[in-house]
Amino acid sequence: MVYFVGAGPGAPDLITVRGQRLLAEAQVVIYAGSLVNRRLLEGTVEGCEIYDSAFMTLEEVMEVITRAEKEHKTTVRLHTGDPCLYGAIREQMDCLDSSGIPYEVCPGVSSFCGGAAAMKMEYTLPAVSQSVVITRMAGRTPVPERESIASFAAHRATMVIFLSAGMLKELSQELVRGGYEQDTPAAVVYKATWPEEKTLLCTVGTMAETAKREGITKTALILVGDAVGQKSYDRSRLYDPEFTTGYRRGRE
Ligand code: SAH
């Protein structure tokens, strides 16, 4: 059996209770060493085989899993944040399907949630934005043209941009090309929930120099939109004394 487990954004106690149990029971762990906190591996059993997938190809990962299956061992494939975002899990699941190896997925706290927590912000502020666009700049992995940063920027919704900390000049230009003003609030969140976490408030126009000043080129999220650092917004209806909900009668 194989479990794809979300390790959370960094702090070792931000893995789920289920994920922690699966990790404690595993006989083989393959973890994404570039971003998963190694302290999580302290919770594995004596004799657990541990592999860092940063040094492995998909084929090598599959080889380890296939051998573990033959030996009736349980494997945990530990991915950073939640495995459903930029986790390359689909190709692994497809390989497992064709080999008839059973698997399950245990979700995790994505870094986009860790980033909001670090900033103490709400992405979906009433009357500001009710949508969050999760995207990235094209790198070695291309992004379809219809999903360009500029096309999303035209919505002026909150944006959370992954895997792009090394391209902030271009990102900033794309955001402006799409319709964001230079002075739209933005933030660079570096290593959210890790001890070395940094939260840098900036604007669409200043994000590149802000990150450069702090030497940040990777492991950061870029948050963009009026919800970042916004002072004015509407109160929620849910907790409005005048408003009747499924649970509470509003004042007449
Ligand atoms: N599945 C992961 C994302 C993997 S892609 C998730 O759900 O978070 C790797 C990218 O995620 C990094 O380049 C960075 O943009 C972002 N990232 C991962 N952990 C982070 C953290 N603790 N703080 C800020 N960004 C992080």
Side-chain angles (χ1 to χ4, degrees):
M1 185 71 187
V2 179
Y3 295 97
F4 292 92
V5 175
D13 55 351
L14 282 177
I15 191 169
T16 64
V17 174
R18 184 186 298 179
Q20 189 174 43
R21 177 177 58 76
L22 291 169
L23 202 54
E25 290 169 1
Q27 289 132 315
V28 177
V29 172
I30 308 168
Y31 74 106
S34 53
L35 282 170
V36 168
N37 192 331
R38 277 176 187 70
R39 284 192 48 205
L40 282 167
L41 304 173
E42 292 167 11
T44 54
V45 286
E46 185 81 35
C48 176
E49 293 171 40
I50 294 180
Y51 300 88
D52 179 351
S53 62
F55 300 99
M56 297 163 82
T57 61
L58 171 63
E59 287 72 14
E60 286 165 344
V61 168
M62 284 306 137
E63 225 174 273
V64 170
I65 293 177
T66 310
R67 187 160 33 80
E69 277 305 297
K70 283 202 184 109
E71 296 169 3
H72 306 289
K73 290 178 174 165
T74 301
T75 301
V76 162
R77 177 69 173 103
L78 194 58
H79 282 273
T80 179
D82 185 283
C84 76
L85 291 171
Y86 310 111
I89 59 163
R90 173 63 195 268
E91 60 190 24
Q92 299 176 71
M93 295 190 292
D94 284 346
C95 286
L96 295 179
D97 280 337
S98 48
S99 312
I101 297 173
Y103 57 87
E104 274 178 24
V105 182
C106 171
V109 177
S110 175
S111 61
F112 84 87
C113 304
M119 291 293 296
K120 300 190 174 77
M121 70 169 282
E122 178 173 346
Y123 291 136
T124 53
L125 278 181
V128 177
S129 172
Q130 289 290 287
S131 311
V132 184
V133 176
I134 289 174
T135 187
R136 61 169 298 172
M137 289 281 280
R140 269 178 297 181
T141 305
V143 173
E145 175 51 33
R146 61 181 182 279
E147 295 179 21
S148 69
I149 294 280
S151 69
F152 286 132
H155 295 276
R156 304 185 58 97
T158 305
M159 290 178 78
V160 179
I161 301 153
F162 283 70
L163 294 159
S164 304
M167 296 175 259
L168 294 190
K169 246 199 172 118
E170 297 86 337
L171 173 62
S172 168
Q173 282 164 1
E174 279 297 286
L175 289 165
V176 171
R177 186 166 76 85
Y180 273 122
E181 312 293 337
Q182 294 273 359
D183 62 358
T184 304
V188 178
V189 184
Y190 173 72
K191 293 201 99 173
T193 81
W194 289 76
E196 54 273 46
E197 168 186 295
K198 277 183 192 160
T199 53
L200 310 168
L201 208 54
C202 55
T203 65
V204 163
T206 63
M207 58 173 63
E209 67 193 59
T210 303
K212 191 168 175 205
R213 202 169 49 234
E214 298 283 336
I216 296 170
T217 56
K218 58 178 189 173
T219 327
L221 289 171
I222 312 305
L223 316 181
V224 182
D226 286 328
V228 187
Q230 175 77 2
K231 298 284 184 283
S232 75
Y233 54 90
D234 285 355
R235 261 189 73 145
S236 73
R237 291 294 179 84
L238 188 59
Y239 299 107
D240 184 338
E242 310 282 314
F243 202 71
T244 298
T245 74
Y247 296 91
R248 181 175 62 73
R249 252 204 101 59
R251 238 174 11 220
E252 298 293 317

